[in-house]
Amino acid sequence: MNSINQTSPLRWFLLLWVGLVYIQVVQTALPIQNLYPDKIPQGMVNNPQFNLALFTLLMILHAGLHWGAFSLRKNRDLLLSFLGQGILVLLIYFLAQAGDAIVGLCLALTIEAITLFRQARLTILVGGGCLLLFGLTEGTQIVSILGHGSGSVNKLIDAVTGSTTLILFVIACVLLSIQQGRAHQRDQTFLCELEIAHAELKTAHEQLEEYAVEVEDLTLIAERQRLARELHDTLAQGLVGLTMQLETIDALLLKQQINQARTIVQQAMTRARATITEARAAIEDLRAETQDAQSFSQAVQVEIQRFTSATGISCACSLPEILLLPPALQEHLLRLVTEGLMNIARHAQATRAWVCANCDQQGLTFEIGDDGIGFDPEAAVRQAGHYGLLGLRERARLLQGQLQIISALGKGTTICLHLLGTDGGIRDEQ
């Protein structure tokens, strides 16, 4: 429908064109036949009314084919229409003796072919047919001019000039049509590429939506794991420490060591308050950061004092005087100390423990060890309800570090964390 609407103005233009050709031929040919009988072109029937009637009939048929061609959609029907118009042009020239109409009709056929055909080869075929048609009629006229002899040179020049102009015009139109056809083909290719790109973008968008769902699920899992670590490192460890202190108090009371029991009670109260504070901080932010090296070292010393007071096990601490660590790394290392000392107090049956750190060009090495009874690390990980070592491994993974648990029965235990660089390549999960 859009194609028909676009070609309607051209249909009316060509119809007007054919009408003007008809008027021009009638105005130039009839006066010659009526007023100057001796100037009637050679071969023309000396019956102006007959020639006019025949010419009018052929032009009406030609205009009808012009009009109907714009309604055709198949190339085969269009070629038959152009063939019929070419035959009518020959009849107009040879039967109606209207040679002046040939140039205008051939131009109309060329414009119509360029408009209706989308394939370059069909445009070239019809354009070549128009040139052949014009060459046939113009050749006949040139032969007729040469046969008259006198004054034939000027007429010959006029005929050749007119023929050259039409030939150049047809060639230019055909070349323009070919160029437009190639541009149309490029546009179609570009549109196909755009459609393919649109389909790929749609597929990518769907994949992104799927990835977003997966990321959301993984984020939820990561948050659950983090919450489990925080609960274990705050509430669970605090309650275990309080339980150990209560057991120590009970033992001291049985021995009537009231002063020592009272000291442990005060420590237990302090620890309970600290556990509540840590639990609240974990609930609010799921994170308790130490801000500098001094507070980190102090926090480690506080944990060691609690451990020694509750267990009576001596614990050596060796940290570099200047240990500048990012807050997130300090948090993870402090959790490592707390978990390691808690495991020593509960399971190791040790007489000596140590906490040390070494920082050099290779990175940071943080170590917690004891001289206790030792255990099998692989078997302990597989046991249900033991989440301390699992949490330590998860923290090491988040720090992109390497966690080693070196232990054997009767040979003590050493937990060693290796981090490349001072920041350990942290990937904090916040």
Side-chain angles (χ1 to χ4, degrees):
M1 184 62 67
N2 293 331
S3 177
I4 295 175
N5 294 334
Q6 293 175 359
T7 56
S8 293
L10 184 60
R11 171 188 287 184
W12 286 101
F13 172 77
L14 290 179
L15 185 63
L16 179 61
W17 182 300
V18 173
L20 292 176
V21 170
Y22 173 78
I23 294 174
Q24 181 185 8
V25 172
V26 170
Q27 288 181 345
T28 55
L30 290 183
I32 292 177
Q33 297 177 31
N34 294 331
L35 301 177
Y36 308 98
D38 56 331
K39 295 184 178 181
I40 296 176
Q42 184 179 6
M44 180 176 287
V45 179
N46 293 326
N47 189 343
Q49 290 76 15
F50 175 79
N51 290 334
L52 178 60
L54 181 59
F55 176 66
T56 302
L57 177 61
L58 293 176
M59 288 295 291
I60 291 174
L61 293 176
H62 188 72
L65 290 178
H66 265 296
W67 183 269
F70 285 89
S71 300
L72 301 177
R73 290 293 171 265
K74 296 182 179 180
N75 291 331
R76 182 187 61 182
D77 297 336
L78 286 173
L79 289 174
L80 292 176
S81 176
F82 279 106
L83 178 62
Q85 294 181 59
I87 294 174
L88 288 176
V89 170
L90 290 177
L91 294 177
I92 289 172
Y93 180 80
F94 288 106
L95 296 183
Q97 298 295 324
D100 294 339
I102 302 304
V103 175
L105 296 179
C106 287
L107 289 176
L109 283 174
T110 303
I111 295 174
E112 184 179 334
I114 294 174
T115 304
L116 297 180
F117 285 120
R118 294 298 181 184
Q119 298 179 6
R121 59 185 182 86
L122 296 179
T123 304
I124 295 174
L125 177 62
V126 176
C130 291
L131 290 178
L132 180 63
L133 180 63
F134 180 77
L136 179 62
T137 57
E138 197 68 13
T140 304
Q141 184 177 358
I142 292 174
V143 172
S144 176
I145 292 173
L146 293 176
H148 281 75
S150 60
S152 60
V153 176
N154 293 332
K155 294 181 180 180
L156 180 61
I157 293 175
D158 294 338
V160 172
T161 302
S163 301
T164 303
T165 302
L166 179 63
I167 291 172
L168 292 177
F169 176 81
V170 172
I171 293 175
C173 289
V174 172
L175 292 177
L176 179 61
S177 175
I178 294 174
Q179 185 178 2
Q180 290 179 345
R182 291 177 178 175
H184 178 72
Q185 186 176 3
R186 288 195 299 269
D187 293 340
Q188 293 297 323
T189 303
F190 181 68
L191 289 176
C192 292
E193 293 176 353
L194 284 179
E195 291 179 356
I196 294 174
H198 178 72
E200 292 177 351
L201 286 175
K202 184 178 180 181
T203 303
H205 179 70
E206 294 176 352
Q207 292 178 350
L208 284 176
E209 291 182 347
E210 294 177 358
Y211 293 156
V213 174
E214 293 179 1
V215 169
E216 184 178 358
D217 294 339
L218 292 176
T219 303
L220 181 60
I221 294 174
E223 286 300 320
R224 288 177 175 175
Q225 292 176 349
R226 182 181 180 185
L227 180 59
R229 290 195 304 271
E230 295 299 331
L231 291 176
H232 176 272
D233 295 340
T234 55
L235 289 176
Q237 289 184 353
L239 292 175
V240 170
L242 289 173
T243 301
M244 293 175 59
Q245 289 176 325
L246 291 174
E247 292 174 350
T248 303
I249 294 170
D250 182 63
L252 291 174
L253 290 176
L254 290 176
K255 296 179 182 180
Q256 300 297 322
Q257 298 178 1
I258 299 176
N259 292 331
Q260 294 182 6
R262 185 176 181 183
T263 302
I264 301 299
V265 168
Q266 293 176 352
Q267 293 178 357
M269 294 171 60
T270 303
R271 188 179 188 92
R273 294 189 185 96
T275 302
I276 293 174
T277 301
E278 291 179 356
R280 287 175 177 173
I283 293 174
E284 293 176 357
D285 194 28
L286 288 180
R287 183 171 175 176
E289 296 182 349
T290 53
Q291 299 300 324
D292 50 39
Q294 182 179 5
S295 61
F296 171 71
S297 300
Q298 292 176 352
V300 173
Q301 291 293 343
V302 169
E303 291 296 329
I304 291 176
Q305 291 175 3
R306 290 177 180 174
F307 168 78
T308 303
S309 299
T311 63
I313 301 174
S314 63
C315 181
C317 180
S318 176
L319 298 178
E321 296 181 358
I322 300 177
L323 185 60
L324 299 178
L325 300 174
L329 179 56
Q330 296 178 25
E331 176 192 355
H332 288 294
L333 292 179
L334 185 58
R335 298 305 187 196
L336 176 66
V337 172
T338 305
E339 178 66 22
L341 293 178
M342 187 66 64
N343 288 335
I344 293 173
R346 296 177 62 187
H347 308 294
Q349 301 179 19
T351 60
R352 183 174 61 89
W354 64 88
V355 176
C356 61
N358 181 29
C359 187
D360 54 21
Q361 295 180 351
Q362 300 298 326
L364 175 65
T365 301
F366 203 87
E367 183 177 303
I368 302 173
D370 65 79
D371 61 351
I373 61 175
F375 68 101
D376 184 359
E378 297 297 331
V381 171
R382 291 193 296 268
Q383 291 179 2
H386 295 272
Y387 303 109
L389 295 179
L390 179 61
L392 293 180
R393 294 185 186 277
E394 289 181 355
R395 292 186 184 276
R397 177 179 57 81
L398 292 173
L399 295 173
Q400 292 185 344
Q402 182 180 3
L403 182 70
Q404 288 184 318
I405 301 176
I406 305 172
S407 182
L409 295 178
K411 295 183 179 181
T413 302
T414 301
I415 299 176
C416 187
L417 176 64
H418 300 280
L419 301 176
L420 296 177
T422 57
D423 61 354
I426 300 174
R427 289 188 306 172
D428 192 11
E429 70 269 37
Q430 67 178 348

